[in-house]
Amino acid sequence: MNSLQALSDRWGTNNLAAAGALATALYAWRLYSIRQANKDLPPHVPYTNPILGSTLDYMHAPHEWLAKNFDKYGPVMRASLFGREQYLIDTPLIPDAMKHKNFNSEQGANAIQFLDVLVGLAVDYHMEDGQHLVLKALNNRMEIFVERIRPYISLMLDEKVGRKSGPVTVEDPFKLIRSMIAQAMCDNFVGKSLGRDPEMIHVFTHVTDVVAALATAGASSMVALIVPGFRRWYANYMVNNRKILKPYTDILIRKLTPEIEARVALRQSCGTNELEWEGSKPVDVLQTILDDRNIDLTNREAALARIGEVNNLLLFLIFASVHLTSVHITWMINSIALHTECHEELLKELKLVLASHGGVLSDEALRNMPKLDSFMRETFRTRFDCIGGSQRIVQEDTLLEGKYLLPKGALLNPITFRAHQNPGHWPGREDVMEFQPWSHEEPSSRTSPAYLQFGLGRHACPGRFLAVNEAKLIVSYLLGRYDVKLKEPEKGVVTPMPAFTFSIAPTSAIVLTPRDEKDALVLL
Ligand code: HEM
């Protein structure tokens, strides 16, 4: 019995040993094949934590982590960050990565910002279609839109800050800016009457709260850092199961229905007279969407049947136009309040422009403000809080510069602020991060490989002309009427963590002191 037991024990031990050897060989083979498969790929930043990859190291000191590893591994490196492998791209490859035809920007945005979940774009409509929609709806009619935006800015400043009393502290400048932008956009998007509807304004102001919160949801929670796809799953769950966007889309649909009916009635009243219809139809984003999607306004039922599609496109454009613009303008105000030494020069330019344009900041007047353009470009160049925004998914194996292999399916993350800091782009500067407000000659909306705040190439932001005009208007009204300072200047310089999702506005409070009547500029 004992010898049988010993035999069986030996068999068991032998089997175990054999199984162990087999597992080790398989593991070694697996490692070898991974290494073989990856040997031509860009270097992978090594990490010791098998679950979190490099995420904690990165989060500890993002700028330093990126700089150190780009120095070591070159302009393309792979890293395990936030639950997935990313290909991080530095200069000089950033422009190629952003513009290459093999790299898809919409899939990139869906992967990181899950735009598809959030706005549920109609299946035959793509993010890049936004280019021609924004061009048709806004850029081709900038003069009209600037005329419409201006009074809101003036009115809202009077309402929220006032002109005659002493200093006013704006504790949360982002909220003030966003309410101005939302109000101005609402009018331009859905027409004068609906544009003043408090519920509509509420949607324009707050829907991006939900979206931005979702996009960053759990970004710092452990689960999100470990589990690939957790944030996407969470967004899907919140949108589709918990219906967090529904209160907003319900309002949009409820309010759009009578508006579309009114446009049907107007269209029907013109009968077959196309010229009359062209001359009488509203000039706003809603109408551009209706035209662009060939929605038949001669037929009430057919038009209303497509209201969901209109709603999705509006939501997409609200999202694109309110949040980022408000964040960037808050950065501008922060920069203005911080650099009080620049006020005199900016005010001098503003006075000249007003004098030569009859006291009116028209679209043309705004194009003639090179000092403000330079100041804005320098502000955007030096604030590098967000490294997301221009992600791409590789569609087929692609060699960049003949040597960097980017395989099909890879997620590319061009680290755009690295281009803004690259000394090669700013010859003659001793310290590239020193704020030099008058150092740019190009308008702040013009993209270049050294200035990527609005992207680059065919996917560059089409809304940048509008965004820059809004920023110029708000800065001009503020500076023209108030002395603008930071409440706590020592807290003015903010170096936020480069997030992988959305930009975040600075939170420093500002103090607005109305200028004496003799100093205040008259802005109509
Ligand atoms: C300061 C404000 C804004 C900033 C910083 C900004 C920035 C950007 C960036 C970085 C991109 C992605 C470019 C890429 O993928 O490489 C983008 C795309 C886009 N933006 Fe903006 N944007 C702003 C305002 C606006 C406004 C006001 C609108 C609309 C009225 C708008 C509409 C769009 C659209 C439709 C796209 C997608 C373009 C495409 O995929 O081809 N943006 N924006």
Side-chain angles (χ1 to χ4, degrees):
M1 185 65 195
N2 276 351
S3 56
L4 268 179
Q5 180 72 48
L7 195 64
S8 123
D9 281 354
R10 195 166 332 128
W11 266 108
T13 316
N14 284 347
N15 276 343
L16 260 178
L22 189 64
T24 313
L26 280 175
Y27 183 66
W29 173 250
R30 175 88 188 112
L31 277 185
Y32 173 76
S33 35
I34 289 176
R35 214 166 286 145
Q36 281 304 103
N38 286 347
K39 80 177 173 12
D40 297 327
L41 295 180
H44 200 298
V45 179
Y47 52 86
T48 45
N49 187 324
I51 297 172
L52 291 172
S54 298
T55 309
L56 291 184
D57 290 343
Y58 166 83
M59 285 175 73
H60 175 65
H63 297 101
E64 290 77 3
W65 186 90
L66 286 164
K68 181 182 80 186
N69 287 302
F70 277 133
D71 278 354
K72 192 161 173 191
Y73 298 107
V76 185
M77 60 187 179
R78 289 178 292 147
S80 295
L81 287 172
F82 302 100
R84 66 179 296 168
E85 181 179 75
Q86 312 209 8
Y87 284 62
L88 306 177
I89 316 278
D90 195 6
T91 43
L93 298 178
I94 291 174
D96 263 4
M98 288 171 84
K99 293 199 298 194
H100 203 290
K101 65 173 177 33
N102 289 356
F103 307 157
N104 186 300
S105 67
E106 183 175 354
Q107 288 176 11
N110 289 345
I112 294 283
Q113 293 150 353
F114 10 94
L115 269 184
D116 50 346
V117 180
L118 297 170
V119 262
L121 288 182
V123 274
D124 61 338
Y125 200 87
H126 296 284
M127 217 172 101
E128 63 187 8
D129 297 328
Q131 291 282 352
H132 102 114
L133 195 56
V134 173
L135 182 80
K136 260 170 93 174
L138 297 164
N139 297 355
N140 287 347
R141 303 156 169 170
M142 194 58 79
E143 190 71 50
I144 302 175
F145 288 106
V146 167
E147 294 305 306
R148 287 189 197 159
I149 293 168
R150 227 180 23 234
Y152 282 114
I153 291 170
S154 180
L155 274 174
M156 291 205 63
L157 274 181
D158 281 351
E159 195 185 301
K160 307 254 171 187
V161 188
R163 281 203 228 186
K164 293 250 157 66
S165 46
V168 175
T169 303
V170 181
E171 291 293 345
D172 189 346
F174 175 70
K175 274 199 183 142
L176 172 71
I177 307 294
R178 189 181 56 180
S179 57
M180 290 189 205
I181 298 296
Q183 172 93 65
M185 286 301 97
C186 196
D187 185 337
N188 276 320
F189 272 46
V190 291
K192 233 185 185 79
S193 59
L194 196 49
R196 289 179 191 172
D197 182 294
E199 278 190 288
M200 274 311 255
I201 295 170
H202 171 79
V203 173
F204 274 70
T205 314
H206 291 290
V207 69
T208 52
D209 275 351
V210 174
V211 176
L214 260 192
T216 47
S220 51
S221 83
M222 266 321 197
V223 191
L225 299 186
I226 297 170
V227 182
F230 170 78
R231 287 170 57 239
R232 186 178 180 82
W233 172 86
Y234 181 75
N236 239 317
Y237 172 74
M238 293 304 278
V239 172
N240 297 319
N241 296 60
R242 302 295 300 273
K243 311 269 181 223
I244 50 155
L245 282 174
K246 195 169 177 303
Y248 299 100
T249 46
D250 281 353
I251 297 177
L252 276 177
I253 290 190
R254 178 158 48 80
K255 297 282 169 179
L256 283 174
T257 304
E259 181 63 30
I260 291 179
E261 282 174 332
R263 293 184 191 206
V264 167
L266 182 64
R267 176 69 193 88
Q268 286 173 344
S269 72
C270 298
T272 52
N273 190 338
E274 291 293 333
L275 268 182
E276 190 188 338
W277 166 238
E278 283 303 318
S280 54
K281 70 182 178 187
V283 178
D284 56 28
V285 174
L286 172 61
Q287 190 58 46
T288 312
I289 292 176
L290 294 169
D291 290 348
D292 197 58
R293 303 299 290 165
N294 291 321
I295 292 178
D296 181 7
L297 290 180
T298 60
N299 180 334
R300 180 180 170 277
E301 277 65 42
L304 289 181
R306 294 180 66 186
I307 202 162
E309 189 180 328
V310 176
N311 175 62
N312 282 354
L313 285 174
L314 264 183
L315 203 57
F316 169 50
L317 288 179
I318 296 172
F319 181 43
S321 62
V322 177
H323 180 76
L324 263 187
T325 310
S326 309
V327 167
H328 277 71
I329 297 179
T330 312
W331 275 102
M332 263 302 275
I333 303 306
N334 185 271
S335 187
I336 290 278
L338 183 64
H339 296 287
T340 46
E341 75 283 2
C342 299
H343 291 188
E344 201 183 319
E345 197 68 41
L346 291 170
L347 279 167
K348 201 162 94 189
E349 175 176 84
L350 180 56
K351 276 181 202 157
L352 275 175
V353 167
L354 286 171
S356 55
H357 290 83
V360 177
L361 284 179
S362 59
D363 174 39
E364 204 213 306
L366 295 175
R367 270 187 268 127
N368 282 302
M369 302 182 82
K371 292 277 179 200
L372 186 51
D373 260 315
S374 178
F375 186 96
M376 194 177 327
R377 221 175 152 86
E378 186 68 350
T379 297
F380 291 167
R381 182 187 78 82
T382 47
R383 57 163 281 274
F384 43 86
D385 64 316
C386 181
I387 70 171
S390 292
Q391 298 88 2
R392 305 286 186 257
I393 300 284
V394 178
Q395 303 300 295
E396 56 186 79
D397 288 4
T398 304
L399 264 190
L400 279 192
E401 288 198 344
K403 55 180 168 178
Y404 300 103
L405 176 61
L406 303 176
K408 182 174 176 184
L411 168 69
L412 309 187
N413 211 335
I415 311 295
T416 48
F417 76 76
R418 295 273 304 171
H420 294 182
Q421 298 179 359
N422 189 300
H425 285 144
W426 313 104
R429 289 198 188 207
E430 250 172 49
D431 171 7
V432 279
M433 289 318 288
E434 187 196 347
F435 188 79
Q436 293 192 15
W438 319 127
S439 53
H440 304 270
E441 285 175 5
E442 309 89 333
S444 38
S445 53
R446 186 171 302 158
T447 61
S448 89
Y451 175 73
L452 299 163
Q453 204 63 36
F454 294 106
L456 187 73
R458 67 204 163 100
H459 292 298
C461 174
R464 62 193 186 278
F465 307 101
L466 177 70
V468 160
N469 274 346
E470 289 173 313
K472 285 180 172 173
L473 282 171
I474 291 181
V475 168
S476 300
Y477 274 86
L478 271 176
L479 258 190
R481 289 184 184 167
Y482 306 94
D483 177 49
V484 186
K485 286 205 174 74
L486 285 171
K487 185 176 162 193
E488 296 171 288
E490 66 286 358
K491 291 193 188 161
V493 184
V494 196
T495 309
M497 187 184 102
F500 273 90
T501 52
F502 286 91
S503 302
I504 298 157
T507 47
S508 332
I510 53 168
V511 181
L512 301 175
T513 311
R515 295 189 186 284
D516 292 342
E517 217 140 286
K518 66 174 175 38
D519 295 332
L521 295 191
V522 181
L523 291 132
L524 301 175

